[in-house]
Amino acid sequence: MQSNWSFAGGWCLVSGGTSGIGLAVAEECLRLGAKVCVLGRDGQRLEQALDHLSTLGTVEGLRADVSTEDGRKPLKAWLADREGLAALVNNVGTNIRKPALDYTDAEIRRLLDTNLLSALALCRLCHPQLKQAGGAVVQVSSVAGLTHLRTGVIYAMTKAAMNQMSRNLACEWAADGIRVNTVAPWYIETPLAMTVLRDERYLREVLARTPMRRIGQPEEVARAVAFLALPAASYITGQCLAVDGGFSVYGF
């Protein structure tokens, strides 16, 4: 009998899995019995991640830029050899912090392609394998998609749209046995977040708005992602789980 708390050797695909939250998700899935395929743009970082992850279980890596159609070709080839997919974790994301009037059209397109359209493309590409295995999609969004942050309007737009995309797909794909959920982290100790958290004054402001009075860790998000992808969450779909130390519910 399969445990509700195990991936039982099924494949989990993690985009942006070479560092930060994505790497922590790959680690957690391996510990829970999955085989993991990690996607990353940087070949050196991908090899370093694979060297580490291979000590935990069966892992493969694809050098792929999921923000472009050409960059997704390695994934298409990989999926052609898979009979099923236990989970797709859309974790790729980046940001350019600027006032709304200062963005160039190229910057806006880059953020849309990387943060949002890549996730939709991967969902569509993986649908047959997810359907075959009764798998799950978990999207890594942000509390910036739930409320105002100083992250910039484009980043916030992509995350809010990802949340709604997940709700729509959850309803559309329920008949296919595919669950779709989202996690929305607040500040997590990742390379991207630390670019702004090095500012001690800003860090103090962040902690003042966080009831738990600390920055989150990648593994704390990874555990939420893994739960939503596991059979244990079999009746949960279309939900957005904030992993934020209480930030999103903090009043005055």
Side-chain angles (χ1 to χ4, degrees), residues 190-209:
T190 66
L192 183 63
M194 293 311 295
T195 60
V196 293
L197 293 179
R198 291 191 185 96
D199 182 332
E200 292 187 5
R201 179 178 177 182
Y202 185 66
L203 175 60
R204 287 194 297 270
E205 290 185 66
V206 167
L207 296 178
R209 300 303 307 156

Side-chain angles (χ1 to χ4, degrees), residues 37-61:
C37 180
V38 171
L39 303 179
R41 289 188 303 179
D42 186 308
Q44 183 177 358
R45 288 173 58 184
L46 181 61
E47 288 302 319
Q48 291 171 346
L50 293 176
D51 286 345
H52 165 65
L53 294 170
S54 63
T55 65
L56 302 176
T58 301
V59 61
E60 295 182 7

Side-chain angles (χ1 to χ4, degrees), residues 221-239:
V221 182
R223 289 193 286 267
V225 170
F227 165 67
L228 290 172
L230 281 166
S234 58
Y235 202 53
I236 302 174
T237 196
Q239 302 304 304

Side-chain angles (χ1 to χ4, degrees), residues 140-193:
V140 179
S141 178
S142 168
V143 290
L146 305 176
T147 188
H148 169 263
L149 298 184
R150 300 176 206 172
T151 51
V153 64
I154 313 304
Y155 182 84
M157 285 167 50
T158 63
K159 296 305 184 178
M162 174 179 274
N163 295 343
Q164 188 58 40
M165 176 177 72
S166 301
R167 296 183 189 106
N168 277 55
L169 288 180
C171 295
E172 186 174 333
W173 290 357
D176 296 328
I178 301 170
R179 296 180 300 105
V180 186
N181 291 289
T182 309
V183 296
W186 174 220
Y187 276 111
I188 305 298
E189 193 174 324
T190 66
L192 183 63

